[in-house]
Amino acid sequence: MELYLDSAATTAIDDEVLQEYIKLISCQYGSTGSLHQLGQETLALETSSKAKIASLLKVRPNEIYFNSGATEGNNYAIKGVALNYRKRGNTIITTKVEHPSVFECVKQLEKDYGFNCIYLDVNENGVVDLNQLKEVMSNDVILVSIMYVNHEVGSIMPIKQIGQLLKQYPKAIFHSDITQALGKTNVDLSCLDIATMSAHKIHGIKGSGFIYKKDKVSFYPLISGHEAHNSLRAGTSNWPSNVVMSKALENTLNKMKQNYAALKRSQSMLIEGLSQIEGIVINTTAANCIPGIVNFSALNYNPEVVIRTLSNKNIYVSSRSVCSVEKKDQVSSTLYAMKKDMAICVSSIRVSYDKPLTDEEINYFLESVKEALSYVRK
């Protein structure tokens, strides 16, 4: 049996998406920036995909900008806003549990450009502290960047409530990385000014994604060159990936509706089974997170060794996203922010999936974890 339980890292390309992609790259090669017929044909396909994505997300087509994915999008959103609106404020707010492509952006702006950056705490469930956000908000804030769903424990942030709060501060632009949320929970873009995602998290093509940006927001240009048909991002369009992205999104959203209850059941069974294994602590709170992530710690075990042992049984999971708190300590930045004991922080393992697991698969995983822990030395 093979169990791929690392869908929060990446997903396999949807077969329907793959076949369409192969057809496109085999038969059409015009640039969307060209005025001749081949270029206009590809531009029409890309424009149609953009319209479909906008329709699925209930936004306008001109608010969708294709790019290479969330890392580029987060850099563009955060640095682009900070540098463009610096004259009206110098404060940026984010959280201590952001993805590195957000966290390191903010750190760079703080270190190299002198921005006042505030890093919000999270509670024991990995959810941002709204009261703290209220306390630190001011008219000097030009950007608030808070993820929709945490990539380590799956906690869902109160995005709508944050959006309501920020209405009192019209100078503050609200950005959210929706990469782990899209297709896993209902995503409402109406309360956001900017959103970023990666297609490979929804069974699309790696190296593609999009930024959602309201017209009222302007970015300082980070990538200079010929703008072609994308006024936000210069460069030749990766149009085949952009065209099939709409199908990947459509299929993912449809499967979410069909599978949500079954995914929750899988999560409950995993949490219950893991909880009964000696030495394991559950870090995911099911009531406050998406149904496709279970984060747990095997106390006093090296998670990398456990992961390799499970991999030998064709079970694929991942460890924490490391962030060095001290030079000698590599810990989960999310669990550390959740104020977990250090033994928990250094031994976390993430199980993530986007299709329901059978009872047989769950039992195989649980038995394999037991065997791995009995085999691996503490």
Side-chain angles (χ1 to χ4, degrees), residues 54-59 63-64 146-149 156-164 167 174-196 210 212 214 249 253 256:
S55 176
L56 290 168
L57 298 177
K58 298 179 174 57
V59 298
E63 295 174 324
I64 301 295
I146 296 176
M147 57 176 36
Y148 217 110
V149 167
I156 302 173
M157 301 300 179
I159 296 298
K160 291 183 181 179
Q161 294 94 313
I162 295 170
Q164 285 295 321
K167 286 183 179 180
F174 188 17
H175 161 250
S176 183
D177 182 344
I178 64 172
T179 303
Q180 295 294 346
L182 206 54
K184 300 164 188 175
T185 189
N186 291 321
V187 173
D188 183 2
L189 298 183
S190 65
C191 54
L192 297 170
D193 298 310
I194 313 168
T196 44
F210 66 78
Y212 157 75
K214 287 182 178 176
L249 178 59
L253 293 178
M256 181 184 74

mmCIF file of all heavy atoms in Angstrom, residues 54-59 63-64 146-149 156-164 167 174-196 210 212 214 249 253 256:
data_model
loop_
_atom_site.group_PDB
_atom_site.id
_atom_site.type_symbol
_atom_site.label_atom_id
_atom_site.label_comp_id
_atom_site.label_asym_id
_atom_site.label_seq_id
_atom_site.Cartn_x
_atom_site.Cartn_y
_atom_site.Cartn_z
ATOM 1 N N ALA A 54 -12.093 33.953 -11.813
ATOM 2 C CA ALA A 54 -12.796 35.065 -11.172
ATOM 3 C C ALA A 54 -14.230 34.681 -10.833
ATOM 4 O O ALA A 54 -14.731 34.999 -9.744
ATOM 5 C CB ALA A 54 -12.767 36.290 -12.084
ATOM 6 N N SER A 55 -14.894 33.985 -11.741
ATOM 7 C CA SER A 55 -16.265 33.565 -11.498
ATOM 8 C C SER A 55 -16.344 32.579 -10.334
ATOM 9 O O SER A 55 -17.236 32.691 -9.474
ATOM 10 C CB SER A 55 -16.844 32.925 -12.768
ATOM 11 O OG SER A 55 -18.140 32.421 -12.536
ATOM 12 N N LEU A 56 -15.418 31.633 -10.285
ATOM 13 C CA LEU A 56 -15.406 30.643 -9.203
ATOM 14 C C LEU A 56 -15.180 31.295 -7.847
ATOM 15 O O LEU A 56 -15.712 30.837 -6.826
ATOM 16 C CB LEU A 56 -14.315 29.604 -9.462
ATOM 17 C CG LEU A 56 -14.560 28.632 -10.622
ATOM 18 C CD1 LEU A 56 -13.285 27.865 -10.951
ATOM 19 C CD2 LEU A 56 -15.692 27.664 -10.286
ATOM 20 N N LEU A 57 -14.394 32.377 -7.830
ATOM 21 C CA LEU A 57 -14.055 33.041 -6.573
ATOM 22 C C LEU A 57 -14.891 34.294 -6.311
ATOM 23 O O LEU A 57 -14.661 35.003 -5.332
ATOM 24 C CB LEU A 57 -12.566 33.407 -6.566
ATOM 25 C CG LEU A 57 -11.608 32.220 -6.655
ATOM 26 C CD1 LEU A 57 -10.160 32.697 -6.722
ATOM 27 C CD2 LEU A 57 -11.798 31.271 -5.475
ATOM 28 N N LYS A 58 -15.834 34.548 -7.217
ATOM 29 C CA LYS A 58 -16.770 35.670 -7.065
ATOM 30 C C LYS A 58 -16.059 37.031 -7.010
ATOM 31 O O LYS A 58 -16.359 37.889 -6.175
ATOM 32 C CB LYS A 58 -17.665 35.481 -5.834
ATOM 33 C CG LYS A 58 -18.548 34.241 -5.900
ATOM 34 C CD LYS A 58 -19.401 34.097 -4.642
ATOM 35 C CE LYS A 58 -20.380 32.944 -4.767
ATOM 36 N NZ LYS A 58 -19.758 31.643 -5.050
ATOM 37 N N VAL A 59 -15.098 37.195 -7.933
ATOM 38 C CA VAL A 59 -14.398 38.473 -8.078
ATOM 39 C C VAL A 59 -14.416 38.850 -9.559
ATOM 40 O O VAL A 59 -14.982 38.148 -10.387
ATOM 41 C CB VAL A 59 -12.946 38.403 -7.545
ATOM 42 C CG1 VAL A 59 -12.943 38.081 -6.063
ATOM 43 C CG2 VAL A 59 -12.121 37.362 -8.310
ATOM 44 N N GLU A 63 -9.133 41.573 -11.660
ATOM 45 C CA GLU A 63 -8.503 41.540 -10.343
ATOM 46 C C GLU A 63 -7.599 40.312 -10.167
ATOM 47 O O GLU A 63 -6.973 40.138 -9.125
ATOM 48 C CB GLU A 63 -9.569 41.542 -9.250
ATOM 49 C CG GLU A 63 -10.390 42.822 -9.212
ATOM 50 C CD GLU A 63 -11.546 42.776 -8.227
ATOM 51 O OE1 GLU A 63 -12.169 41.702 -8.077
ATOM 52 O OE2 GLU A 63 -11.841 43.822 -7.601
ATOM 53 N N ILE A 64 -7.520 39.464 -11.192
ATOM 54 C CA ILE A 64 -6.689 38.263 -11.163
ATOM 55 C C ILE A 64 -5.442 38.484 -12.012
ATOM 56 O O ILE A 64 -5.533 38.872 -13.177
ATOM 57 C CB ILE A 64 -7.456 37.032 -11.688
ATOM 58 C CG1 ILE A 64 -8.713 36.778 -10.836
ATOM 59 C CG2 ILE A 64 -6.564 35.800 -11.713
ATOM 60 C CD1 ILE A 64 -8.430 36.387 -9.390
ATOM 61 N N ILE A 146 -1.932 38.366 6.976
ATOM 62 C CA ILE A 146 -2.269 37.235 7.845
ATOM 63 C C ILE A 146 -2.777 36.085 6.990
ATOM 64 O O ILE A 146 -3.723 36.247 6.218
ATOM 65 C CB ILE A 146 -3.330 37.631 8.898
ATOM 66 C CG1 ILE A 146 -2.756 38.710 9.830
ATOM 67 C CG2 ILE A 146 -3.786 36.414 9.696
ATOM 68 C CD1 ILE A 146 -3.751 39.253 10.842
ATOM 69 N N MET A 147 -2.167 34.936 7.118
ATOM 70 C CA MET A 147 -2.547 33.762 6.337
ATOM 71 C C MET A 147 -3.992 33.343 6.615
ATOM 72 O O MET A 147 -4.534 33.582 7.702
ATOM 73 C CB MET A 147 -1.612 32.589 6.651
ATOM 74 C CG MET A 147 -1.574 32.226 8.109
ATOM 75 S SD MET A 147 -0.579 30.758 8.537
ATOM 76 C CE MET A 147 0.787 30.795 7.442
ATOM 77 N N TYR A 148 -4.613 32.711 5.642
ATOM 78 C CA TYR A 148 -5.993 32.233 5.797
ATOM 79 C C TYR A 148 -6.021 30.939 6.617
ATOM 80 O O TYR A 148 -6.858 30.763 7.498
ATOM 81 C CB TYR A 148 -6.617 31.992 4.418
ATOM 82 C CG TYR A 148 -8.081 32.348 4.312
ATOM 83 C CD1 TYR A 148 -8.487 33.446 3.570
ATOM 84 C CD2 TYR A 148 -9.057 31.575 4.933
ATOM 85 C CE1 TYR A 148 -9.829 33.780 3.461
ATOM 86 C CE2 TYR A 148 -10.399 31.905 4.827
ATOM 87 C CZ TYR A 148 -10.783 33.010 4.087
ATOM 88 O OH TYR A 148 -12.112 33.337 3.979
ATOM 89 N N VAL A 149 -5.076 30.046 6.315
ATOM 90 C CA VAL A 149 -4.948 28.764 7.018
ATOM 91 C C VAL A 149 -3.470 28.497 7.263
ATOM 92 O O VAL A 149 -2.643 28.657 6.363
ATOM 93 C CB VAL A 149 -5.567 27.606 6.202
ATOM 94 C CG1 VAL A 149 -5.167 26.247 6.775
ATOM 95 C CG2 VAL A 149 -7.080 27.726 6.142
ATOM 96 N N ILE A 156 -7.528 27.739 11.102
ATOM 97 C CA ILE A 156 -8.195 28.719 10.245
ATOM 98 C C ILE A 156 -8.229 30.056 10.966
ATOM 99 O O ILE A 156 -8.712 30.157 12.101
ATOM 100 C CB ILE A 156 -9.630 28.271 9.906
ATOM 101 C CG1 ILE A 156 -9.608 26.893 9.216
ATOM 102 C CG2 ILE A 156 -10.319 29.295 9.005
ATOM 103 C CD1 ILE A 156 -10.988 26.294 9.003
ATOM 104 N N MET A 157 -7.731 31.086 10.312
ATOM 105 C CA MET A 157 -7.692 32.408 10.926
ATOM 106 C C MET A 157 -9.038 33.135 10.740
ATOM 107 O O MET A 157 -9.742 32.903 9.759
ATOM 108 C CB MET A 157 -6.565 33.241 10.310
ATOM 109 C CG MET A 157 -5.193 32.636 10.456
ATOM 110 S SD MET A 157 -4.728 32.412 12.198
ATOM 111 C CE MET A 157 -3.102 31.658 12.019
ATOM 112 N N PRO A 158 -9.380 34.028 11.674
ATOM 113 C CA PRO A 158 -10.657 34.760 11.593
ATOM 114 C C PRO A 158 -10.586 35.906 10.588
ATOM 115 O O PRO A 158 -10.638 37.087 10.942
ATOM 116 C CB PRO A 158 -10.846 35.269 13.027
ATOM 117 C CG PRO A 158 -9.451 35.455 13.533
ATOM 118 C CD PRO A 158 -8.642 34.344 12.917
ATOM 119 N N ILE A 159 -10.456 35.565 9.328
ATOM 120 C CA ILE A 159 -10.214 36.555 8.283
ATOM 121 C C ILE A 159 -11.362 37.561 8.163
ATOM 122 O O ILE A 159 -11.124 38.765 7.996
ATOM 123 C CB ILE A 159 -9.964 35.851 6.933
ATOM 124 C CG1 ILE A 159 -8.690 35.002 7.005
ATOM 125 C CG2 ILE A 159 -9.869 36.868 5.798
ATOM 126 C CD1 ILE A 159 -7.415 35.766 7.262
ATOM 127 N N LYS A 160 -12.592 37.091 8.235
ATOM 128 C CA LYS A 160 -13.725 38.009 8.099
ATOM 129 C C LYS A 160 -13.742 39.038 9.225
ATOM 130 O O LYS A 160 -13.996 40.227 8.991
ATOM 131 C CB LYS A 160 -15.037 37.223 8.075
ATOM 132 C CG LYS A 160 -15.228 36.394 6.816
ATOM 133 C CD LYS A 160 -16.571 35.689 6.826
ATOM 134 C CE LYS A 160 -16.756 34.835 5.580
ATOM 135 N NZ LYS A 160 -18.053 34.126 5.572
ATOM 136 N N GLN A 161 -13.485 38.585 10.455
ATOM 137 C CA GLN A 161 -13.472 39.507 11.594
ATOM 138 C C GLN A 161 -12.331 40.514 11.466
ATOM 139 O O GLN A 161 -12.495 41.687 11.801
ATOM 140 C CB GLN A 161 -13.340 38.731 12.907
ATOM 141 C CG GLN A 161 -14.538 37.854 13.235
ATOM 142 C CD GLN A 161 -14.357 36.425 12.758
ATOM 143 O OE1 GLN A 161 -13.946 36.189 11.625
ATOM 144 N NE2 GLN A 161 -14.669 35.480 13.634
ATOM 145 N N ILE A 162 -11.188 40.040 10.973
ATOM 146 C CA ILE A 162 -10.057 40.951 10.768
ATOM 147 C C ILE A 162 -10.421 41.986 9.715
ATOM 148 O O ILE A 162 -10.144 43.185 9.868
ATOM 149 C CB ILE A 162 -8.797 40.168 10.353
ATOM 150 C CG1 ILE A 162 -8.357 39.246 11.490
ATOM 151 C CG2 ILE A 162 -7.665 41.127 9.979
ATOM 152 C CD1 ILE A 162 -7.266 38.270 11.099
ATOM 153 N N GLY A 163 -11.048 41.536 8.640
ATOM 154 C CA GLY A 163 -11.477 42.458 7.591
ATOM 155 C C GLY A 163 -12.428 43.521 8.105
ATOM 156 O O GLY A 163 -12.331 44.697 7.722
ATOM 157 N N GLN A 164 -13.353 43.120 8.977
ATOM 158 C CA GLN A 164 -14.284 44.086 9.562
ATOM 159 C C GLN A 164 -13.551 45.112 10.411
ATOM 160 O O GLN A 164 -13.837 46.310 10.359
ATOM 161 C CB GLN A 164 -15.320 43.347 10.425
ATOM 162 C CG GLN A 164 -16.375 42.602 9.632
ATOM 163 C CD GLN A 164 -17.267 43.526 8.833
ATOM 164 O OE1 GLN A 164 -17.650 44.605 9.295
ATOM 165 N NE2 GLN A 164 -17.605 43.127 7.611
ATOM 166 N N LYS A 167 -11.711 47.866 8.452
ATOM 167 C CA LYS A 167 -12.527 48.902 7.816
ATOM 168 C C LYS A 167 -12.420 50.234 8.560
ATOM 169 O O LYS A 167 -12.657 51.297 7.995
ATOM 170 C CB LYS A 167 -13.988 48.457 7.754
ATOM 171 C CG LYS A 167 -14.257 47.386 6.707
ATOM 172 C CD LYS A 167 -15.733 47.039 6.648
ATOM 173 C CE LYS A 167 -16.022 45.986 5.579
ATOM 174 N NZ LYS A 167 -17.447 45.628 5.512
ATOM 175 N N PHE A 174 -5.098 44.896 3.401
ATOM 176 C CA PHE A 174 -5.212 43.563 4.002
ATOM 177 C C PHE A 174 -4.837 42.496 2.978
ATOM 178 O O PHE A 174 -5.504 42.329 1.964
ATOM 179 C CB PHE A 174 -6.630 43.348 4.516
ATOM 180 C CG PHE A 174 -6.826 42.091 5.320
ATOM 181 C CD1 PHE A 174 -5.754 41.390 5.865
ATOM 182 C CD2 PHE A 174 -8.116 41.611 5.568
ATOM 183 C CE1 PHE A 174 -5.942 40.244 6.614
ATOM 184 C CE2 PHE A 174 -8.315 40.468 6.324
ATOM 185 C CZ PHE A 174 -7.226 39.782 6.845
ATOM 186 N N HIS A 175 -3.753 41.777 3.264
ATOM 187 C CA HIS A 175 -3.277 40.691 2.405
ATOM 188 C C HIS A 175 -3.366 39.364 3.142
ATOM 189 O O HIS A 175 -3.112 39.283 4.349
ATOM 190 C CB HIS A 175 -1.819 40.928 2.000
ATOM 191 C CG HIS A 175 -1.134 39.678 1.518
ATOM 192 N ND1 HIS A 175 -0.144 39.046 2.245
ATOM 193 C CD2 HIS A 175 -1.304 38.930 0.393
ATOM 194 C CE1 HIS A 175 0.270 37.980 1.591
ATOM 195 N NE2 HIS A 175 -0.409 37.881 0.463
ATOM 196 N N SER A 176 -3.726 38.310 2.407
ATOM 197 C CA SER A 176 -3.724 36.969 2.989
ATOM 198 C C SER A 176 -3.186 35.960 1.988
ATOM 199 O O SER A 176 -3.552 35.971 0.812
ATOM 200 C CB SER A 176 -5.147 36.558 3.406
ATOM 201 O OG SER A 176 -5.122 35.278 4.028
ATOM 202 N N ASP A 177 -2.303 35.093 2.472
ATOM 203 C CA ASP A 177 -1.838 33.947 1.690
ATOM 204 C C ASP A 177 -2.910 32.864 1.842
ATOM 205 O O ASP A 177 -3.101 32.311 2.919
ATOM 206 C CB ASP A 177 -0.493 33.470 2.247
ATOM 207 C CG ASP A 177 0.092 32.299 1.470
ATOM 208 O OD1 ASP A 177 -0.653 31.658 0.709
ATOM 209 O OD2 ASP A 177 1.288 32.014 1.643
ATOM 210 N N ILE A 178 -3.610 32.567 0.743
ATOM 211 C CA ILE A 178 -4.724 31.611 0.799
ATOM 212 C C ILE A 178 -4.320 30.225 0.289
ATOM 213 O O ILE A 178 -5.175 29.373 0.046
ATOM 214 C CB ILE A 178 -5.942 32.122 0.005
ATOM 215 C CG1 ILE A 178 -5.610 32.245 -1.496
ATOM 216 C CG2 ILE A 178 -6.426 33.461 0.566
ATOM 217 C CD1 ILE A 178 -6.817 32.556 -2.374
ATOM 218 N N THR A 179 -3.016 30.009 0.170
ATOM 219 C CA THR A 179 -2.518 28.777 -0.440
ATOM 220 C C THR A 179 -3.051 27.522 0.233
ATOM 221 O O THR A 179 -3.462 26.574 -0.439
ATOM 222 C CB THR A 179 -0.977 28.756 -0.408
ATOM 223 O OG1 THR A 179 -0.485 29.912 -1.079
ATOM 224 C CG2 THR A 179 -0.432 27.519 -1.077
ATOM 225 N N GLN A 180 -3.049 27.475 1.556
ATOM 226 C CA GLN A 180 -3.505 26.276 2.266
ATOM 227 C C GLN A 180 -5.014 26.252 2.477
ATOM 228 O O GLN A 180 -5.554 25.247 2.957
ATOM 229 C CB GLN A 180 -2.795 26.179 3.629
ATOM 230 C CG GLN A 180 -1.302 25.966 3.539
ATOM 231 C CD GLN A 180 -0.915 24.620 2.947
ATOM 232 O OE1 GLN A 180 -1.737 23.713 2.823
ATOM 233 N NE2 GLN A 180 0.340 24.488 2.559
ATOM 234 N N ALA A 181 -5.695 27.318 2.104
ATOM 235 C CA ALA A 181 -7.137 27.395 2.330
ATOM 236 C C ALA A 181 -7.950 27.034 1.100
ATOM 237 O O ALA A 181 -9.032 26.448 1.198
ATOM 238 C CB ALA A 181 -7.506 28.809 2.791
ATOM 239 N N LEU A 182 -7.434 27.376 -0.065
ATOM 240 C CA LEU A 182 -8.197 27.217 -1.300
ATOM 241 C C LEU A 182 -8.480 25.737 -1.567
ATOM 242 O O LEU A 182 -7.576 24.919 -1.664
ATOM 243 C CB LEU A 182 -7.410 27.817 -2.464
ATOM 244 C CG LEU A 182 -8.193 28.320 -3.671
ATOM 245 C CD1 LEU A 182 -9.265 29.314 -3.273
ATOM 246 C CD2 LEU A 182 -7.258 28.942 -4.687
ATOM 247 N N GLY A 183 -9.756 25.402 -1.650
ATOM 248 C CA GLY A 183 -10.153 24.021 -1.867
ATOM 249 C C GLY A 183 -10.229 23.194 -0.603
ATOM 250 O O GLY A 183 -10.521 21.998 -0.658
ATOM 251 N N LYS A 184 -9.988 23.832 0.558
ATOM 252 C CA LYS A 184 -10.018 23.111 1.829
ATOM 253 C C LYS A 184 -11.005 23.715 2.823
ATOM 254 O O LYS A 184 -11.393 23.081 3.793
ATOM 255 C CB LYS A 184 -8.611 23.077 2.426
ATOM 256 C CG LYS A 184 -7.602 22.375 1.519
ATOM 257 C CD LYS A 184 -6.178 22.675 1.930
ATOM 258 C CE LYS A 184 -5.195 22.120 0.893
ATOM 259 N NZ LYS A 184 -3.799 22.481 1.191
ATOM 260 N N THR A 185 -11.345 24.963 2.583
ATOM 261 C CA THR A 185 -12.375 25.643 3.364
ATOM 262 C C THR A 185 -12.954 26.729 2.473
ATOM 263 O O THR A 185 -12.382 27.062 1.432
ATOM 264 C CB THR A 185 -11.794 26.247 4.660
ATOM 265 O OG1 THR A 185 -12.864 26.722 5.486
ATOM 266 C CG2 THR A 185 -10.839 27.395 4.372
ATOM 267 N N ASN A 186 -14.100 27.270 2.849
ATOM 268 C CA ASN A 186 -14.704 28.323 2.047
ATOM 269 C C ASN A 186 -13.879 29.599 2.176
ATOM 270 O O ASN A 186 -13.685 30.115 3.271
ATOM 271 C CB ASN A 186 -16.142 28.580 2.501
ATOM 272 C CG ASN A 186 -17.062 27.418 2.173
ATOM 273 O OD1 ASN A 186 -16.948 26.801 1.115
ATOM 274 N ND2 ASN A 186 -17.972 27.087 3.077
ATOM 275 N N VAL A 187 -13.400 30.084 1.040
ATOM 276 C CA VAL A 187 -12.553 31.274 1.015
ATOM 277 C C VAL A 187 -13.370 32.457 0.506
ATOM 278 O O VAL A 187 -13.939 32.401 -0.579
ATOM 279 C CB VAL A 187 -11.322 31.060 0.115
ATOM 280 C CG1 VAL A 187 -10.532 32.352 -0.046
ATOM 281 C CG2 VAL A 187 -10.434 29.960 0.692
ATOM 282 N N ASP A 188 -13.434 33.502 1.308
ATOM 283 C CA ASP A 188 -14.166 34.724 0.953
ATOM 284 C C ASP A 188 -13.163 35.826 0.679
ATOM 285 O O ASP A 188 -12.497 36.319 1.590
ATOM 286 C CB ASP A 188 -15.105 35.110 2.101
ATOM 287 C CG ASP A 188 -15.947 36.333 1.770
ATOM 288 O OD1 ASP A 188 -15.844 36.857 0.645
ATOM 289 O OD2 ASP A 188 -16.715 36.772 2.647
ATOM 290 N N LEU A 189 -13.036 36.216 -0.591
ATOM 291 C CA LEU A 189 -12.077 37.255 -0.959
ATOM 292 C C LEU A 189 -12.625 38.660 -0.770
ATOM 293 O O LEU A 189 -11.861 39.624 -0.867
ATOM 294 C CB LEU A 189 -11.645 37.075 -2.423
ATOM 295 C CG LEU A 189 -10.920 35.772 -2.774
ATOM 296 C CD1 LEU A 189 -10.492 35.781 -4.234
ATOM 297 C CD2 LEU A 189 -9.713 35.538 -1.867
ATOM 298 N N SER A 190 -13.894 38.788 -0.478
ATOM 299 C CA SER A 190 -14.501 40.117 -0.413
ATOM 300 C C SER A 190 -13.931 40.966 0.714
ATOM 301 O O SER A 190 -13.952 42.197 0.639
ATOM 302 C CB SER A 190 -16.020 39.996 -0.248
ATOM 303 O OG SER A 190 -16.353 39.391 0.987
ATOM 304 N N CYS A 191 -13.412 40.320 1.772
ATOM 305 C CA CYS A 191 -12.875 41.072 2.905
ATOM 306 C C CYS A 191 -11.376 41.320 2.766
ATOM 307 O O CYS A 191 -10.754 41.890 3.665
ATOM 308 C CB CYS A 191 -13.163 40.336 4.210
ATOM 309 S SG CYS A 191 -12.591 38.635 4.226
ATOM 310 N N LEU A 192 -10.789 40.897 1.634
ATOM 311 C CA LEU A 192 -9.356 41.059 1.412
ATOM 312 C C LEU A 192 -9.080 42.083 0.321
ATOM 313 O O LEU A 192 -9.885 42.263 -0.588
ATOM 314 C CB LEU A 192 -8.730 39.719 1.003
ATOM 315 C CG LEU A 192 -8.796 38.581 2.026
ATOM 316 C CD1 LEU A 192 -8.348 37.275 1.379
ATOM 317 C CD2 LEU A 192 -7.932 38.890 3.239
ATOM 318 N N ASP A 193 -7.923 42.708 0.411
ATOM 319 C CA ASP A 193 -7.447 43.575 -0.666
ATOM 320 C C ASP A 193 -6.524 42.817 -1.616
ATOM 321 O O ASP A 193 -6.487 43.092 -2.812
ATOM 322 C CB ASP A 193 -6.703 44.783 -0.091
ATOM 323 C CG ASP A 193 -7.592 45.651 0.773
ATOM 324 O OD1 ASP A 193 -8.687 46.010 0.318
ATOM 325 O OD2 ASP A 193 -7.192 45.945 1.922
ATOM 326 N N ILE A 194 -5.780 41.855 -1.073
ATOM 327 C CA ILE A 194 -4.846 41.048 -1.852
ATOM 328 C C ILE A 194 -4.880 39.615 -1.334
ATOM 329 O O ILE A 194 -4.956 39.389 -0.125
ATOM 330 C CB ILE A 194 -3.394 41.564 -1.732
ATOM 331 C CG1 ILE A 194 -3.310 43.076 -1.912
ATOM 332 C CG2 ILE A 194 -2.485 40.864 -2.741
ATOM 333 C CD1 ILE A 194 -1.957 43.656 -1.522
ATOM 334 N N ALA A 195 -4.825 38.651 -2.256
ATOM 335 C CA ALA A 195 -4.700 37.242 -1.881
ATOM 336 C C ALA A 195 -3.710 36.576 -2.832
ATOM 337 O O ALA A 195 -3.611 36.949 -3.998
ATOM 338 C CB ALA A 195 -6.049 36.538 -1.939
ATOM 339 N N THR A 196 -2.979 35.588 -2.317
ATOM 340 C CA THR A 196 -1.959 34.914 -3.103
ATOM 341 C C THR A 196 -2.110 33.405 -2.977
ATOM 342 O O THR A 196 -2.519 32.895 -1.933
ATOM 343 C CB THR A 196 -0.559 35.331 -2.634
ATOM 344 O OG1 THR A 196 -0.514 35.335 -1.191
ATOM 345 C CG2 THR A 196 -0.226 36.731 -3.103
ATOM 346 N N PHE A 210 -1.574 32.754 -8.887
ATOM 347 C CA PHE A 210 -2.095 34.084 -9.205
ATOM 348 C C PHE A 210 -2.167 34.956 -7.959
ATOM 349 O O PHE A 210 -2.144 34.460 -6.829
ATOM 350 C CB PHE A 210 -3.470 34.014 -9.888
ATOM 351 C CG PHE A 210 -4.591 33.476 -9.032
ATOM 352 C CD1 PHE A 210 -5.216 34.255 -8.055
ATOM 353 C CD2 PHE A 210 -5.056 32.183 -9.224
ATOM 354 C CE1 PHE A 210 -6.252 33.768 -7.290
ATOM 355 C CE2 PHE A 210 -6.103 31.680 -8.455
ATOM 356 C CZ PHE A 210 -6.696 32.473 -7.486
ATOM 357 N N TYR A 212 -4.729 37.838 -6.416
ATOM 358 C CA TYR A 212 -5.971 38.604 -6.478
ATOM 359 C C TYR A 212 -5.672 39.964 -5.877
ATOM 360 O O TYR A 212 -5.116 40.057 -4.782
ATOM 361 C CB TYR A 212 -7.078 37.909 -5.685
ATOM 362 C CG TYR A 212 -8.183 38.848 -5.244
ATOM 363 C CD1 TYR A 212 -9.137 39.313 -6.150
ATOM 364 C CD2 TYR A 212 -8.263 39.287 -3.925
ATOM 365 C CE1 TYR A 212 -10.131 40.187 -5.751
ATOM 366 C CE2 TYR A 212 -9.258 40.154 -3.519
ATOM 367 C CZ TYR A 212 -10.180 40.605 -4.432
ATOM 368 O OH TYR A 212 -11.161 41.477 -4.029
ATOM 369 N N LYS A 214 -7.405 43.993 -5.510
ATOM 370 C CA LYS A 214 -8.425 44.998 -5.796
ATOM 371 C C LYS A 214 -7.806 46.174 -6.546
ATOM 372 O O LYS A 214 -6.631 46.509 -6.360
ATOM 373 C CB LYS A 214 -9.076 45.486 -4.497
ATOM 374 C CG LYS A 214 -10.020 44.461 -3.875
ATOM 375 C CD LYS A 214 -10.687 44.997 -2.628
ATOM 376 C CE LYS A 214 -11.672 43.971 -2.058
ATOM 377 N NZ LYS A 214 -12.275 44.423 -0.785
ATOM 378 N N LEU A 249 -8.708 24.498 -10.373
ATOM 379 C CA LEU A 249 -9.467 25.147 -9.303
ATOM 380 C C LEU A 249 -10.907 24.647 -9.280
ATOM 381 O O LEU A 249 -11.455 24.345 -8.211
ATOM 382 C CB LEU A 249 -9.435 26.667 -9.494
ATOM 383 C CG LEU A 249 -10.235 27.489 -8.481
ATOM 384 C CD1 LEU A 249 -9.734 27.238 -7.061
ATOM 385 C CD2 LEU A 249 -10.160 28.984 -8.815
ATOM 386 N N LEU A 253 -12.538 22.697 -6.063
ATOM 387 C CA LEU A 253 -13.681 23.233 -5.323
ATOM 388 C C LEU A 253 -14.856 22.251 -5.327
ATOM 389 O O LEU A 253 -15.557 22.097 -4.317
ATOM 390 C CB LEU A 253 -14.107 24.577 -5.918
ATOM 391 C CG LEU A 253 -13.104 25.725 -5.764
ATOM 392 C CD1 LEU A 253 -13.629 26.989 -6.435
ATOM 393 C CD2 LEU A 253 -12.783 26.004 -4.303
ATOM 394 N N MET A 256 -14.093 19.495 -2.867
ATOM 395 C CA MET A 256 -14.230 19.953 -1.485
ATOM 396 C C MET A 256 -15.675 19.808 -1.021
ATOM 397 O O MET A 256 -15.947 19.331 0.085
ATOM 398 C CB MET A 256 -13.783 21.412 -1.351
ATOM 399 C CG MET A 256 -13.881 21.949 0.078
ATOM 400 S SD MET A 256 -13.473 23.714 0.215
ATOM 401 C CE MET A 256 -14.951 24.446 -0.509
#
